[in-house]
Amino acid sequence: MGAATDATGTSSSSTSLSPSILKKIILSYTYVAIWIFLSFTVIVYNKFILDKKLYDWPYPISLTLIHMGFCSSIAFLLVRVFHVVDLPSSMSPHLYLSSVVPIGALYSLSLWLSNSAYIYLSVSFIQMLKALMPVAVYSIGVLFRKDAFKSSTMANMLAISFGVAIAAFGEAKFNTWGVLLQLGAVAFEATRLVLIQILLTSKGINLNPITSLYYVAPCCFVFLLVPWVAVELPLLKENSTFHFDYFIFGTNSFCAFALNLAVFLLVGKTSALTMNVAGVVKDWLLIAFSWSVIKDTVTAVNLVGYGVAFMGVAYYNHSKLKALREKEAAERKEDEESGRLLDQIEGDETTRRNESEGG
């Protein structure tokens, strides 16, 4: 009877969560919720500003310039004035020109094209096209020899692409130019992510969002000035009725900056894989919002196609998690074997020392 009571007590104590673990779980879900909310807000806010049927300010380069100017200013204050974070000591002028400038150029192109796509495509369809991001990152990683080619992974990528193709076939308001803009944005963003690994991470330089914005945002601002002067500045001069709305563009820029901080919290406190999974949840929420609130048309073929792509992305994330766990298990096993070998060497030395002292 007493043994049964002890067993029950042990079982209940093992299944109950300690306060520290419970706190970590709650914080993790809080970071996920904050990131989803801010990412959701920035996407819908950008759509509201750029869509001709809503705020009717179809100037994506100008909007991106405002974001980069705001982020550059706040990052400068946080780094140079308030000293919230320290800059990496290894960042030399040569490294900045050879590594950060190309990344900044790709980021400016990615932001420009992705914001432009909101003028021509619905929010829901853009999220479906973004499911191609793992395909682009893997393909470019193989091209730059950062990832090894695997037929199983490529089959997974083809399944995702097939699902997106079905979704595109079922799109009620298909716009070729809008699709090309979004696909270009995905390609530039995927190249940027791969180059970050090659040019920065491989050299031991890890930038958090504040230092990333400190280095990259001014670079993006300069790159965007050229097409802005050539393309949008003449149009803005002709639009004499426009008056800069400090509340709209100020809050929009603040949300964009806060999103970068949320990325730092989510990846820093959980993992990049958690962010990928949370991104899938965010995409479904955006599709539902686009259909129910914005009244965008979402067809059954759209949902079937995105469902196929979603399953492909989910399997890809599962494969990455499995590979990560296997790598950690192998490293743990290697550490344990090294520890046992070290203990054995120390034991042999102690035995020899005792024998010599006894002799």
Side-chain angles (χ1 to χ4, degrees):
M1 187 71 177
T5 305
D6 292 342
T8 306
T10 304
S11 176
S12 61
S13 63
S14 63
T15 56
S16 62
L17 295 175
S18 65
S20 60
I21 295 176
L22 187 61
K23 182 180 178 181
K24 288 182 180 179
I25 293 173
I26 293 173
L27 283 175
S28 296
Y29 278 104
T30 302
Y31 297 139
V32 168
I34 291 172
W35 179 80
I36 288 177
F37 172 76
L38 287 171
S39 182
F40 185 99
T41 302
V42 169
I43 289 171
V44 174
Y45 212 158
N46 288 351
K47 173 67 175 177
F48 167 76
I49 291 173
L50 295 167
D51 198 307
K52 295 180 180 179
K53 294 180 293 183
L54 299 172
Y55 190 75
D56 190 20
W57 200 70
Y59 303 106
I61 308 176
S62 302
L63 182 63
T64 311
L65 264 179
I66 293 169
H67 287 173
M68 291 299 102
F70 183 89
C71 289
S72 299
S73 303
I74 299 298
F76 179 84
L77 290 173
L78 291 174
V79 172
R80 291 296 185 182
V81 179
F82 298 107
H83 303 288
V84 174
V85 293
D86 295 324
L87 295 174
S89 57
S90 55
M91 181 62 73
S92 63
H94 173 72
L95 184 61
Y96 182 84
L97 290 173
S98 62
S99 301
V100 177
V101 169
I103 291 169
L106 290 168
Y107 193 37
S108 62
L109 287 168
S110 172
L111 292 172
W112 173 15
L113 297 184
S114 62
N115 281 334
S116 299
Y118 285 109
I119 300 173
Y120 305 97
L121 303 176
S122 66
V123 171
S124 57
F125 187 42
I126 286 175
Q127 304 317 303
M128 295 176 190
L129 291 175
K130 284 182 180 179
L132 287 171
M133 184 60 74
V135 180
V137 171
Y138 177 72
S139 301
I140 293 169
V142 171
L143 186 65
F144 282 91
R145 297 183 178 180
K146 187 65 181 174
D147 289 317
F149 177 84
K150 295 181 180 178
S151 56
S152 59
T153 305
M154 184 52 68
N156 188 185
M157 299 300 106
L158 290 173
I160 296 172
S161 303
F162 180 66
V164 173
I166 294 173
F169 178 77
E171 176 59 20
K173 297 179 181 178
F174 186 90
N175 184 287
T176 304
W177 180 239
V179 170
L180 290 175
L181 287 170
Q182 185 56 48
L183 293 179
V186 168
F188 285 124
E189 178 64 9
T191 307
R192 183 184 76 91
L193 294 174
V194 173
L195 283 185
I196 286 175
Q197 293 181 335
I198 296 173
L199 298 178
L200 294 179
T201 307
S202 62
K203 298 175 183 177
I205 299 175
N206 294 308
L207 303 177
N208 62 51
I210 296 176
T211 52
S212 294
L213 288 174
Y214 176 81
Y215 287 121
V216 175
C219 184
C220 289
F221 188 89
V222 173
F223 275 113
L224 288 167
L225 274 178
V226 178
W228 180 73
V229 170
V231 178
E232 291 189 1
L233 181 57
L235 297 175
L236 286 168
K237 287 181 177 179
E238 292 176 6
N239 187 4
S240 58
T241 59
F242 172 72
H243 298 284
F244 191 85
D245 191 326
Y246 287 94
F247 177 78
I248 291 290
F249 294 104
T251 52
N252 179 248
S253 298
F254 178 79
C255 288
F257 181 80
L259 177 60
N260 281 278
L261 298 183
V263 170
F264 173 62
L265 279 175
L266 185 60
V267 177
K269 301 298 182 180
T270 57
S271 68
L273 190 63
T274 301
M275 183 175 165
N276 290 339
V277 175
V280 172
V281 176
K282 178 208 68 179
D283 289 342
W284 280 111
L285 289 173
L286 278 167
I287 290 171
F289 181 87
S290 177
W291 170 74
S292 61
V293 179
I294 305 178
K295 303 300 180 184
D296 286 331
T297 303
V298 179
T299 66
V301 179
N302 273 151
L303 294 177
V304 170
Y306 184 65
V308 173
F310 163 74
M311 294 300 292
V313 172
Y315 179 77
Y316 177 66
N317 287 335
H318 170 74
S319 300
K320 286 177 66 178
L321 179 61
K322 183 180 178 182
L324 184 64
R325 284 176 174 172
E326 289 175 352
K327 182 181 178 181
E328 289 177 348
E331 290 176 351
R332 192 160 51 247
K333 184 178 179 181
E334 185 178 343
D335 290 341
E336 289 174 356
E337 289 177 352
S338 299
R340 282 197 296 269
L341 182 61
L342 185 63
D343 290 341
Q344 184 178 351
I345 293 172
E346 290 178 350
D348 292 342
E349 289 179 353
T350 302
T351 303
R352 283 196 297 270
R353 194 181 304 114
N354 292 335
E355 290 177 351
S356 61
E357 289 175 357

